[in-house]
Amino acid sequence: PLCLSVNLLRSKMGVLEVIINFILKPAAVLFDIWLLGASAGATIQERKIWENPKLPSMNPFGLVKAFLLNVCWMGGTQLGVILALLKRAIMGNKNGDMRRFCHNGVERIVGQMLIKLFIGPNIIIRGKENLPPENPGSPAPVLIANHDSQIDIAAVYYLCRSWRWISKSSVFFLPGVGQLMYFGGHVFIDRVKKKNKTSTGARNLYAKSNESLQEGVPMFFFPQGTRRLGERLPFKDGAFKIAMENKAQVIPISIEIPLTAWNSMYPLQRKDVAQVILTVHKPVESKEFKELEPLKKECFDTIYSVLPDYTKQS
């Protein structure tokens, strides 16, 4: 019996070595390549925003910070996905626990951690009293904000509220980030219209957003549709149509990213660090508007009323 036990143990150890050497190790290498490649791509995209002649371009230290931020962002969210799957396997998914764990737990912790590690020790929040309660009821409000940098996405987690993001479907393929968003119940859409209509198109945007608001979960939009710091792009209709259709409040949020955010020596030097400022404005009642454009204009003017206008700088 002892010999049989030893042989069985050796057999199991042999299988384990095969799994480690021929499955887990190659998978880890492929994931590292995926992670580093995606982080480099995200850093290049961020650098393009700061190439506007009215803005300071990113210096080498800033590029390194942006790259490391993306590595930590994707790596941290991938760890969160693994923990979420383990939690689901052990405890199940009772009453939407998976979404709360991913969004209120992992996303919030990772977002706040990224700010503290790479941008500044904290952020300034003004008008916090204008935020909806944690459980706002039905219909939940629509949150909107300007979109200047990828820093925005991490910074808004300091608001400590729940919502669903609207994101382009390609984000699903970012390591960790896309899978965490999927398990967090966020909404993916295609930016490019396809000949064969899919569930990720505009129809999905309105259906999923309406459902979320009626459930009591706010939707968070960047109505510009893309990141721009040196320009003020017009707002797209989607967020406002959804708000009017549901007679929901619109809560404008201004995000001010300091021009030294990337190029400062933080975290090596922690004194006199310019901080990100979030300004939460008073809710706008969409039901008081009969047409879309006046609602869009009021929200646009409100958001940019407290932000520096780089378009006027030479």
Side-chain angles (χ1 to χ4, degrees), residues 165-229:
W165 289 110
I166 293 291
S167 179
K168 57 185 179 180
S169 55
S170 60
V171 169
F172 177 79
F173 299 101
L174 286 179
V177 176
Q179 300 79 59
L180 189 68
M181 289 188 68
Y182 174 79
F183 289 121
H186 300 288
V187 180
F188 294 95
I189 61 169
D190 286 324
R191 278 186 175 177
V192 180
K193 292 182 179 179
K194 295 181 178 180
K195 292 181 180 179
N196 55 328
K197 295 182 179 179
T198 66
S199 62
T200 55
R203 188 177 301 177
N204 188 51
L205 163 66
Y206 291 107
K208 293 292 186 182
S209 297
N210 292 342
E211 181 182 327
S212 183
L213 296 186
Q214 294 304 319
E215 282 178 11
V217 180
M219 295 297 301
F220 201 126
F221 290 83
F222 292 122
Q224 301 168 207
T226 191
R227 286 174 281 170
R228 287 290 188 278
L229 182 54

Short mmCIF file of all heavy atoms in Angstrom, two decimals, residues 165-229:
data_model
loop_
_atom_site.label_atom_id
_atom_site.label_comp_id
_atom_site.label_asym_id
_atom_site.label_seq_id
_atom_site.Cartn_x
_atom_site.Cartn_y
_atom_site.Cartn_z
N TRP A 165 -21.05 52.04 -16.59
CA TRP A 165 -20.37 52.77 -17.66
C TRP A 165 -20.97 52.41 -19.01
O TRP A 165 -21.50 51.31 -19.20
CB TRP A 165 -18.90 52.39 -17.72
CG TRP A 165 -18.00 52.86 -16.62
CD1 TRP A 165 -17.41 52.10 -15.65
CD2 TRP A 165 -17.55 54.20 -16.40
NE1 TRP A 165 -16.64 52.88 -14.84
CE2 TRP A 165 -16.70 54.17 -15.28
CE3 TRP A 165 -17.78 55.42 -17.02
CZ2 TRP A 165 -16.06 55.30 -14.77
CZ3 TRP A 165 -17.16 56.55 -16.52
CH2 TRP A 165 -16.32 56.49 -15.42
N ILE A 166 -20.82 53.33 -19.95
CA ILE A 166 -21.01 53.03 -21.37
C ILE A 166 -19.61 52.96 -21.98
O ILE A 166 -18.81 53.88 -21.81
CB ILE A 166 -21.81 54.14 -22.08
CG1 ILE A 166 -23.25 54.18 -21.56
CG2 ILE A 166 -21.80 53.94 -23.59
CD1 ILE A 166 -24.08 52.99 -21.94
N SER A 167 -19.29 51.89 -22.66
CA SER A 167 -17.94 51.74 -23.21
C SER A 167 -17.99 51.12 -24.59
O SER A 167 -18.88 50.31 -24.90
CB SER A 167 -17.11 50.87 -22.27
OG SER A 167 -15.81 50.68 -22.78
N LYS A 168 -17.02 51.46 -25.42
CA LYS A 168 -16.94 50.84 -26.73
C LYS A 168 -16.59 49.36 -26.56
O LYS A 168 -15.86 48.98 -25.63
CB LYS A 168 -15.92 51.54 -27.62
CG LYS A 168 -14.52 51.62 -27.05
CD LYS A 168 -13.61 52.44 -27.94
CE LYS A 168 -12.20 52.52 -27.35
NZ LYS A 168 -11.29 53.33 -28.19
N SER A 169 -17.10 48.53 -27.44
CA SER A 169 -16.98 47.08 -27.29
C SER A 169 -15.53 46.59 -27.32
O SER A 169 -15.22 45.56 -26.74
CB SER A 169 -17.80 46.37 -28.36
OG SER A 169 -17.42 46.81 -29.65
N SER A 170 -14.64 47.34 -27.97
CA SER A 170 -13.23 46.90 -28.05
C SER A 170 -12.55 46.91 -26.68
O SER A 170 -11.54 46.21 -26.49
CB SER A 170 -12.46 47.81 -29.02
OG SER A 170 -12.50 49.16 -28.59
N VAL A 171 -13.10 47.66 -25.73
CA VAL A 171 -12.51 47.70 -24.38
C VAL A 171 -12.58 46.32 -23.73
O VAL A 171 -11.76 45.98 -22.87
CB VAL A 171 -13.23 48.75 -23.50
CG1 VAL A 171 -12.84 48.64 -22.04
CG2 VAL A 171 -12.91 50.15 -24.02
N PHE A 172 -13.55 45.49 -24.15
CA PHE A 172 -13.67 44.15 -23.58
C PHE A 172 -12.37 43.37 -23.73
O PHE A 172 -12.07 42.47 -22.93
CB PHE A 172 -14.82 43.39 -24.24
CG PHE A 172 -14.96 41.98 -23.75
CD1 PHE A 172 -15.59 41.71 -22.53
CD2 PHE A 172 -14.47 40.91 -24.49
CE1 PHE A 172 -15.71 40.41 -22.06
CE2 PHE A 172 -14.59 39.61 -24.03
CZ PHE A 172 -15.20 39.35 -22.81
N PHE A 173 -11.57 43.69 -24.75
CA PHE A 173 -10.36 42.91 -25.03
C PHE A 173 -9.12 43.47 -24.33
O PHE A 173 -8.02 42.95 -24.52
CB PHE A 173 -10.13 42.84 -26.54
CG PHE A 173 -11.26 42.16 -27.26
CD1 PHE A 173 -12.23 42.90 -27.92
CD2 PHE A 173 -11.39 40.79 -27.24
CE1 PHE A 173 -13.29 42.29 -28.57
CE2 PHE A 173 -12.45 40.15 -27.88
CZ PHE A 173 -13.40 40.90 -28.55
N LEU A 174 -9.29 44.50 -23.50
CA LEU A 174 -8.17 44.97 -22.68
C LEU A 174 -7.97 43.99 -21.53
O LEU A 174 -8.93 43.59 -20.88
CB LEU A 174 -8.44 46.36 -22.12
CG LEU A 174 -8.36 47.54 -23.08
CD1 LEU A 174 -8.69 48.84 -22.36
CD2 LEU A 174 -6.97 47.64 -23.70
N PRO A 175 -6.74 43.60 -21.24
CA PRO A 175 -6.51 42.64 -20.16
C PRO A 175 -7.11 43.11 -18.84
O PRO A 175 -6.85 44.23 -18.41
CB PRO A 175 -4.97 42.59 -20.06
CG PRO A 175 -4.46 43.12 -21.33
CD PRO A 175 -5.49 44.08 -21.86
N GLY A 176 -7.89 42.27 -18.22
CA GLY A 176 -8.45 42.59 -16.91
C GLY A 176 -9.58 43.58 -16.97
O GLY A 176 -10.69 43.32 -16.48
N VAL A 177 -9.35 44.72 -17.58
CA VAL A 177 -10.32 45.82 -17.59
C VAL A 177 -11.63 45.40 -18.23
O VAL A 177 -12.71 45.57 -17.67
CB VAL A 177 -9.73 47.05 -18.32
CG1 VAL A 177 -10.77 48.16 -18.42
CG2 VAL A 177 -8.48 47.54 -17.62
N GLY A 178 -11.54 44.84 -19.44
CA GLY A 178 -12.75 44.47 -20.17
C GLY A 178 -13.54 43.38 -19.49
O GLY A 178 -14.77 43.44 -19.40
N GLN A 179 -12.83 42.39 -18.96
CA GLN A 179 -13.53 41.28 -18.31
C GLN A 179 -14.17 41.73 -16.99
O GLN A 179 -15.28 41.30 -16.66
CB GLN A 179 -12.56 40.13 -18.05
CG GLN A 179 -11.91 39.57 -19.31
CD GLN A 179 -10.75 40.43 -19.82
OE1 GLN A 179 -9.79 40.65 -19.11
NE2 GLN A 179 -10.85 40.89 -21.06
N LEU A 180 -13.48 42.61 -16.26
CA LEU A 180 -14.06 43.14 -15.02
C LEU A 180 -15.30 43.97 -15.32
O LEU A 180 -16.30 43.90 -14.59
CB LEU A 180 -13.03 43.99 -14.28
CG LEU A 180 -13.44 44.43 -12.87
CD1 LEU A 180 -13.50 43.24 -11.92
CD2 LEU A 180 -12.48 45.48 -12.32
N MET A 181 -15.26 44.75 -16.40
CA MET A 181 -16.43 45.53 -16.78
C MET A 181 -17.60 44.62 -17.16
O MET A 181 -18.75 44.91 -16.83
CB MET A 181 -16.10 46.47 -17.95
CG MET A 181 -15.20 47.62 -17.58
SD MET A 181 -15.03 48.81 -18.94
CE MET A 181 -16.70 49.48 -19.01
N TYR A 182 -17.29 43.53 -17.81
CA TYR A 182 -18.34 42.57 -18.18
C TYR A 182 -19.01 42.01 -16.92
O TYR A 182 -20.24 42.00 -16.80
CB TYR A 182 -17.74 41.44 -19.02
CG TYR A 182 -18.72 40.33 -19.33
CD1 TYR A 182 -19.65 40.47 -20.34
CD2 TYR A 182 -18.70 39.15 -18.58
CE1 TYR A 182 -20.55 39.46 -20.63
CE2 TYR A 182 -19.61 38.13 -18.86
CZ TYR A 182 -20.53 38.29 -19.87
OH TYR A 182 -21.43 37.29 -20.14
N PHE A 183 -18.22 41.55 -15.98
CA PHE A 183 -18.78 41.00 -14.75
C PHE A 183 -19.41 42.09 -13.88
O PHE A 183 -20.27 41.79 -13.05
CB PHE A 183 -17.71 40.24 -13.97
CG PHE A 183 -17.28 38.96 -14.61
CD1 PHE A 183 -15.96 38.75 -14.97
CD2 PHE A 183 -18.20 37.97 -14.88
CE1 PHE A 183 -15.56 37.57 -15.57
CE2 PHE A 183 -17.82 36.78 -15.49
CZ PHE A 183 -16.49 36.58 -15.83
N GLY A 184 -18.98 43.34 -14.07
CA GLY A 184 -19.56 44.45 -13.32
C GLY A 184 -20.87 44.95 -13.91
O GLY A 184 -21.46 45.90 -13.39
N GLY A 185 -21.30 44.35 -15.03
CA GLY A 185 -22.60 44.68 -15.61
C GLY A 185 -22.64 45.96 -16.40
O GLY A 185 -23.72 46.55 -16.59
N HIS A 186 -21.50 46.44 -16.89
CA HIS A 186 -21.46 47.67 -17.67
C HIS A 186 -21.93 47.41 -19.11
O HIS A 186 -22.08 46.24 -19.52
CB HIS A 186 -20.06 48.27 -17.64
CG HIS A 186 -19.60 48.61 -16.25
ND1 HIS A 186 -20.12 49.67 -15.53
CD2 HIS A 186 -18.70 48.02 -15.43
CE1 HIS A 186 -19.55 49.71 -14.34
NE2 HIS A 186 -18.69 48.72 -14.25
N VAL A 187 -22.13 48.46 -19.87
CA VAL A 187 -22.77 48.35 -21.19
C VAL A 187 -21.74 48.58 -22.29
O VAL A 187 -21.07 49.62 -22.31
CB VAL A 187 -23.93 49.36 -21.33
CG1 VAL A 187 -24.58 49.23 -22.70
CG2 VAL A 187 -24.96 49.15 -20.22
N PHE A 188 -21.60 47.63 -23.19
CA PHE A 188 -20.68 47.73 -24.32
C PHE A 188 -21.47 48.06 -25.59
O PHE A 188 -22.53 47.49 -25.83
CB PHE A 188 -19.93 46.42 -24.53
CG PHE A 188 -18.99 46.06 -23.42
CD1 PHE A 188 -19.39 45.21 -22.40
CD2 PHE A 188 -17.71 46.59 -23.39
CE1 PHE A 188 -18.53 44.88 -21.38
CE2 PHE A 188 -16.84 46.26 -22.37
CZ PHE A 188 -17.24 45.41 -21.35
N ILE A 189 -20.92 48.98 -26.38
CA ILE A 189 -21.57 49.34 -27.64
C ILE A 189 -20.52 49.42 -28.75
O ILE A 189 -19.32 49.62 -28.49
CB ILE A 189 -22.31 50.69 -27.57
CG1 ILE A 189 -21.34 51.84 -27.25
CG2 ILE A 189 -23.43 50.63 -26.54
CD1 ILE A 189 -21.94 53.21 -27.42
N ASP A 190 -20.99 49.24 -30.00
CA ASP A 190 -20.12 49.43 -31.16
C ASP A 190 -20.20 50.87 -31.60
O ASP A 190 -21.29 51.43 -31.73
CB ASP A 190 -20.57 48.53 -32.32
CG ASP A 190 -20.21 47.08 -32.08
OD1 ASP A 190 -19.15 46.83 -31.49
OD2 ASP A 190 -21.00 46.21 -32.45
N ARG A 191 -19.04 51.48 -31.82
CA ARG A 191 -19.03 52.85 -32.34
C ARG A 191 -19.33 52.87 -33.83
O ARG A 191 -19.93 53.79 -34.36
CB ARG A 191 -17.65 53.50 -32.11
CG ARG A 191 -17.48 54.05 -30.69
CD ARG A 191 -16.17 54.79 -30.60
NE ARG A 191 -16.01 55.44 -29.32
CZ ARG A 191 -14.92 56.10 -28.97
NH1 ARG A 191 -13.91 56.19 -29.80
NH2 ARG A 191 -14.83 56.67 -27.79
N VAL A 192 -18.86 51.84 -34.54
CA VAL A 192 -19.03 51.78 -35.99
C VAL A 192 -20.28 50.97 -36.32
O VAL A 192 -20.48 49.87 -35.81
CB VAL A 192 -17.80 51.12 -36.65
CG1 VAL A 192 -17.98 51.07 -38.17
CG2 VAL A 192 -16.53 51.89 -36.29
N LYS A 193 -21.13 51.54 -37.15
CA LYS A 193 -22.35 50.83 -37.54
C LYS A 193 -21.99 49.64 -38.43
O LYS A 193 -21.16 49.74 -39.32
CB LYS A 193 -23.29 51.77 -38.30
CG LYS A 193 -23.87 52.88 -37.44
CD LYS A 193 -24.82 53.73 -38.23
CE LYS A 193 -25.43 54.83 -37.37
NZ LYS A 193 -26.36 55.69 -38.13
N LYS A 194 -22.63 48.52 -38.14
CA LYS A 194 -22.39 47.31 -38.91
C LYS A 194 -23.59 47.00 -39.80
O LYS A 194 -24.72 47.38 -39.50
CB LYS A 194 -22.12 46.14 -37.97
CG LYS A 194 -20.84 46.31 -37.15
CD LYS A 194 -20.61 45.10 -36.25
CE LYS A 194 -19.32 45.24 -35.47
NZ LYS A 194 -19.08 44.07 -34.61
N LYS A 195 -23.32 46.28 -40.89
CA LYS A 195 -24.41 45.89 -41.78
C LYS A 195 -25.38 44.97 -41.06
O LYS A 195 -26.59 45.11 -41.17
CB LYS A 195 -23.84 45.19 -43.03
CG LYS A 195 -23.05 46.13 -43.93
CD LYS A 195 -22.53 45.40 -45.16
CE LYS A 195 -21.74 46.34 -46.05
NZ LYS A 195 -21.20 45.64 -47.24
N ASN A 196 -24.83 44.01 -40.33
CA ASN A 196 -25.71 43.13 -39.55
C ASN A 196 -25.82 43.69 -38.14
O ASN A 196 -24.84 43.79 -37.42
CB ASN A 196 -25.13 41.71 -39.50
CG ASN A 196 -23.71 41.69 -38.98
OD1 ASN A 196 -22.96 42.63 -39.20
ND2 ASN A 196 -23.34 40.62 -38.30
N LYS A 197 -26.99 44.08 -37.74
CA LYS A 197 -27.20 44.70 -36.43
C LYS A 197 -26.91 43.68 -35.34
O LYS A 197 -27.38 42.55 -35.36
CB LYS A 197 -28.64 45.21 -36.31
CG LYS A 197 -28.94 46.35 -37.28
CD LYS A 197 -30.37 46.86 -37.08
CE LYS A 197 -30.67 48.01 -38.03
NZ LYS A 197 -32.07 48.49 -37.84
N THR A 198 -26.13 44.12 -34.35
CA THR A 198 -25.79 43.24 -33.24
C THR A 198 -26.33 43.84 -31.96
O THR A 198 -26.76 44.99 -31.91
CB THR A 198 -24.26 43.10 -33.11
OG1 THR A 198 -23.71 44.37 -32.74
CG2 THR A 198 -23.63 42.67 -34.42
N SER A 199 -26.26 43.04 -30.88
CA SER A 199 -26.79 43.47 -29.59
C SER A 199 -25.94 44.55 -28.93
O SER A 199 -26.31 45.06 -27.89
CB SER A 199 -26.90 42.27 -28.65
OG SER A 199 -25.63 41.72 -28.42
N THR A 200 -24.78 44.84 -29.53
CA THR A 200 -23.91 45.85 -28.92
C THR A 200 -24.02 47.21 -29.60
O THR A 200 -23.20 48.08 -29.38
CB THR A 200 -22.43 45.38 -28.98
OG1 THR A 200 -22.11 45.09 -30.34
CG2 THR A 200 -22.22 44.15 -28.13
N GLY A 201 -25.04 47.39 -30.43
CA GLY A 201 -25.20 48.66 -31.13
C GLY A 201 -25.97 49.68 -30.32
O GLY A 201 -26.19 49.55 -29.12
N ALA A 202 -26.42 50.74 -31.02
CA ALA A 202 -27.13 51.84 -30.36
C ALA A 202 -28.41 51.34 -29.68
O ALA A 202 -28.79 51.84 -28.62
CB ALA A 202 -27.46 52.91 -31.39
N ARG A 203 -29.06 50.36 -30.30
CA ARG A 203 -30.28 49.82 -29.70
C ARG A 203 -30.00 49.25 -28.32
O ARG A 203 -30.78 49.40 -27.38
CB ARG A 203 -30.86 48.74 -30.62
CG ARG A 203 -32.23 48.25 -30.19
CD ARG A 203 -32.76 47.23 -31.19
NE ARG A 203 -32.87 47.78 -32.52
CZ ARG A 203 -33.26 47.06 -33.58
NH1 ARG A 203 -33.55 45.78 -33.44
NH2 ARG A 203 -33.34 47.63 -34.77
N ASN A 204 -28.84 48.59 -28.19
CA ASN A 204 -28.44 48.03 -26.90
C ASN A 204 -28.16 49.15 -25.89
O ASN A 204 -28.48 49.02 -24.69
CB ASN A 204 -27.17 47.18 -27.08
CG ASN A 204 -26.80 46.42 -25.84
OD1 ASN A 204 -27.62 45.73 -25.26
ND2 ASN A 204 -25.56 46.54 -25.42
N LEU A 205 -27.59 50.26 -26.37
CA LEU A 205 -27.30 51.39 -25.49
C LEU A 205 -28.58 51.88 -24.81
O LEU A 205 -28.62 52.02 -23.58
CB LEU A 205 -26.67 52.52 -26.31
CG LEU A 205 -26.66 53.92 -25.66
CD1 LEU A 205 -25.76 53.94 -24.44
CD2 LEU A 205 -26.21 54.97 -26.68
N TYR A 206 -29.62 52.12 -25.58
CA TYR A 206 -30.85 52.66 -25.02
C TYR A 206 -31.58 51.63 -24.16
O TYR A 206 -32.05 51.94 -23.06
CB TYR A 206 -31.76 53.17 -26.14
CG TYR A 206 -31.21 54.40 -26.82
CD1 TYR A 206 -30.67 54.33 -28.11
CD2 TYR A 206 -31.19 55.63 -26.17
CE1 TYR A 206 -30.15 55.45 -28.73
CE2 TYR A 206 -30.66 56.76 -26.78
CZ TYR A 206 -30.14 56.66 -28.06
OH TYR A 206 -29.61 57.77 -28.67
N ALA A 207 -31.64 50.40 -24.63
CA ALA A 207 -32.35 49.36 -23.88
C ALA A 207 -31.70 49.11 -22.53
O ALA A 207 -32.37 49.08 -21.48
CB ALA A 207 -32.42 48.07 -24.69
N LYS A 208 -30.38 48.92 -22.54
CA LYS A 208 -29.66 48.63 -21.29
C LYS A 208 -29.65 49.84 -20.35
O LYS A 208 -29.74 49.68 -19.12
CB LYS A 208 -28.23 48.20 -21.61
CG LYS A 208 -28.12 46.88 -22.34
CD LYS A 208 -28.54 45.72 -21.44
CE LYS A 208 -28.30 44.39 -22.12
NZ LYS A 208 -28.74 43.25 -21.27
N SER A 209 -29.52 51.03 -20.91
CA SER A 209 -29.51 52.23 -20.07
C SER A 209 -30.86 52.46 -19.42
O SER A 209 -30.94 52.76 -18.22
CB SER A 209 -29.12 53.46 -20.91
OG SER A 209 -27.81 53.32 -21.42
N ASN A 210 -31.93 52.31 -20.19
CA ASN A 210 -33.28 52.47 -19.63
C ASN A 210 -33.53 51.45 -18.52
O ASN A 210 -34.07 51.77 -17.46
CB ASN A 210 -34.34 52.31 -20.73
CG ASN A 210 -34.30 53.46 -21.73
OD1 ASN A 210 -33.75 54.51 -21.46
ND2 ASN A 210 -34.88 53.23 -22.90
N GLU A 211 -33.11 50.22 -18.77
CA GLU A 211 -33.28 49.16 -17.78
C GLU A 211 -32.52 49.49 -16.49
O GLU A 211 -33.04 49.30 -15.38
CB GLU A 211 -32.78 47.85 -18.37
CG GLU A 211 -32.92 46.65 -17.46
CD GLU A 211 -32.36 45.39 -18.11
OE1 GLU A 211 -32.45 45.26 -19.35
OE2 GLU A 211 -31.83 44.54 -17.37
N SER A 212 -31.30 50.00 -16.64
CA SER A 212 -30.48 50.32 -15.48
C SER A 212 -31.09 51.45 -14.65
O SER A 212 -31.17 51.36 -13.42
CB SER A 212 -29.06 50.72 -15.92
OG SER A 212 -28.23 50.97 -14.81
N LEU A 213 -31.55 52.50 -15.32
CA LEU A 213 -32.15 53.63 -14.60
C LEU A 213 -33.41 53.20 -13.85
O LEU A 213 -33.65 53.63 -12.72
CB LEU A 213 -32.48 54.77 -15.57
CG LEU A 213 -31.31 55.45 -16.28
CD1 LEU A 213 -31.81 56.64 -17.09
CD2 LEU A 213 -30.23 55.90 -15.32
N GLN A 214 -34.20 52.35 -14.49
CA GLN A 214 -35.43 51.89 -13.83
C GLN A 214 -35.12 50.93 -12.67
O GLN A 214 -35.90 50.83 -11.73
CB GLN A 214 -36.35 51.22 -14.85
CG GLN A 214 -36.89 52.17 -15.91
CD GLN A 214 -37.63 53.37 -15.32
OE1 GLN A 214 -38.39 53.23 -14.35
NE2 GLN A 214 -37.40 54.55 -15.88
N GLU A 215 -33.97 50.27 -12.73
CA GLU A 215 -33.53 49.41 -11.62
C GLU A 215 -33.03 50.24 -10.44
O GLU A 215 -32.86 49.72 -9.35
CB GLU A 215 -32.38 48.51 -12.07
CG GLU A 215 -32.79 47.30 -12.88
CD GLU A 215 -31.57 46.50 -13.30
OE1 GLU A 215 -30.45 46.76 -12.80
OE2 GLU A 215 -31.73 45.59 -14.14
N GLY A 216 -32.72 51.54 -10.71
CA GLY A 216 -32.17 52.37 -9.66
C GLY A 216 -30.66 52.47 -9.69
O GLY A 216 -30.04 52.90 -8.71
N VAL A 217 -30.05 52.09 -10.82
CA VAL A 217 -28.60 52.18 -10.97
C VAL A 217 -28.28 53.29 -11.98
O VAL A 217 -28.68 53.18 -13.15
CB VAL A 217 -27.98 50.85 -11.45
CG1 VAL A 217 -26.46 51.00 -11.59
CG2 VAL A 217 -28.32 49.73 -10.48
N PRO A 218 -27.58 54.36 -11.58
CA PRO A 218 -27.26 55.45 -12.51
C PRO A 218 -26.41 54.99 -13.69
O PRO A 218 -25.70 53.98 -13.59
CB PRO A 218 -26.49 56.44 -11.63
CG PRO A 218 -26.89 56.13 -10.22
CD PRO A 218 -27.12 54.64 -10.20
N MET A 219 -26.50 55.73 -14.78
CA MET A 219 -25.61 55.53 -15.92
C MET A 219 -24.61 56.68 -15.95
O MET A 219 -24.96 57.83 -15.67
CB MET A 219 -26.40 55.51 -17.24
CG MET A 219 -27.35 54.33 -17.38
SD MET A 219 -26.53 52.72 -17.39
CE MET A 219 -25.44 52.90 -18.81
N PHE A 220 -23.37 56.36 -16.30
CA PHE A 220 -22.31 57.38 -16.37
C PHE A 220 -21.86 57.51 -17.82
O PHE A 220 -21.41 56.54 -18.41
CB PHE A 220 -21.13 57.00 -15.47
CG PHE A 220 -20.26 58.17 -15.08
CD1 PHE A 220 -19.99 58.43 -13.74
CD2 PHE A 220 -19.70 59.01 -16.03
CE1 PHE A 220 -19.21 59.51 -13.35
CE2 PHE A 220 -18.91 60.09 -15.67
CZ PHE A 220 -18.66 60.33 -14.33
N PHE A 221 -21.98 58.74 -18.35
CA PHE A 221 -21.59 59.02 -19.74
C PHE A 221 -20.50 60.08 -19.81
O PHE A 221 -20.50 61.02 -19.02
CB PHE A 221 -22.79 59.56 -20.54
CG PHE A 221 -23.88 58.59 -20.81
CD1 PHE A 221 -24.85 58.33 -19.87
CD2 PHE A 221 -23.96 57.94 -22.03
CE1 PHE A 221 -25.89 57.44 -20.11
CE2 PHE A 221 -25.00 57.05 -22.30
CZ PHE A 221 -25.96 56.80 -21.33
N PHE A 222 -19.61 59.93 -20.77
CA PHE A 222 -18.76 61.02 -21.24
C PHE A 222 -19.37 61.45 -22.58
O PHE A 222 -19.06 60.86 -23.62
CB PHE A 222 -17.32 60.56 -21.43
CG PHE A 222 -16.61 60.21 -20.15
CD1 PHE A 222 -16.07 58.95 -19.97
CD2 PHE A 222 -16.47 61.15 -19.13
CE1 PHE A 222 -15.40 58.62 -18.80
CE2 PHE A 222 -15.81 60.82 -17.95
CZ PHE A 222 -15.27 59.56 -17.78
N PRO A 223 -20.27 62.44 -22.59
CA PRO A 223 -21.05 62.71 -23.80
C PRO A 223 -20.24 63.29 -24.96
O PRO A 223 -20.77 63.39 -26.06
CB PRO A 223 -22.11 63.71 -23.31
CG PRO A 223 -21.56 64.30 -22.06
CD PRO A 223 -20.69 63.26 -21.44
N GLN A 224 -18.96 63.66 -24.73
CA GLN A 224 -18.12 64.06 -25.87
C GLN A 224 -17.89 62.87 -26.80
O GLN A 224 -17.67 63.04 -27.99
CB GLN A 224 -16.74 64.52 -25.38
CG GLN A 224 -16.74 65.68 -24.45
CD GLN A 224 -15.38 65.85 -23.80
OE1 GLN A 224 -15.32 66.37 -22.70
NE2 GLN A 224 -14.29 65.46 -24.41
N GLY A 225 -17.85 61.67 -26.18
CA GLY A 225 -17.63 60.46 -26.96
C GLY A 225 -16.18 60.04 -27.05
O GLY A 225 -15.89 58.89 -27.34
N THR A 226 -15.23 60.96 -26.80
CA THR A 226 -13.81 60.63 -26.87
C THR A 226 -13.03 61.63 -26.02
O THR A 226 -13.57 62.67 -25.62
CB THR A 226 -13.31 60.65 -28.33
OG1 THR A 226 -12.00 60.08 -28.40
CG2 THR A 226 -13.29 62.07 -28.89
N ARG A 227 -11.78 61.32 -25.76
CA ARG A 227 -10.97 62.19 -24.90
C ARG A 227 -10.41 63.39 -25.67
O ARG A 227 -9.85 63.23 -26.75
CB ARG A 227 -9.78 61.40 -24.33
CG ARG A 227 -10.12 60.43 -23.24
CD ARG A 227 -8.90 59.61 -22.84
NE ARG A 227 -8.65 58.54 -23.79
CZ ARG A 227 -7.55 57.79 -23.80
NH1 ARG A 227 -6.59 58.01 -22.92
NH2 ARG A 227 -7.40 56.82 -24.68
N ARG A 228 -10.56 64.57 -25.10
CA ARG A 228 -9.95 65.79 -25.62
C ARG A 228 -9.72 66.75 -24.47
O ARG A 228 -10.65 67.05 -23.73
CB ARG A 228 -10.85 66.47 -26.66
CG ARG A 228 -10.94 65.79 -27.99
CD ARG A 228 -9.64 65.87 -28.79
NE ARG A 228 -9.83 65.37 -30.13
CZ ARG A 228 -9.81 64.10 -30.47
NH1 ARG A 228 -9.61 63.18 -29.55
NH2 ARG A 228 -9.99 63.72 -31.72
N LEU A 229 -8.50 67.25 -24.32
CA LEU A 229 -8.21 68.22 -23.27
C LEU A 229 -8.07 69.63 -23.83
O LEU A 229 -8.53 70.59 -23.24
CB LEU A 229 -6.93 67.83 -22.52
CG LEU A 229 -6.50 68.72 -21.35
CD1 LEU A 229 -7.64 68.88 -20.34
CD2 LEU A 229 -5.28 68.14 -20.66
#
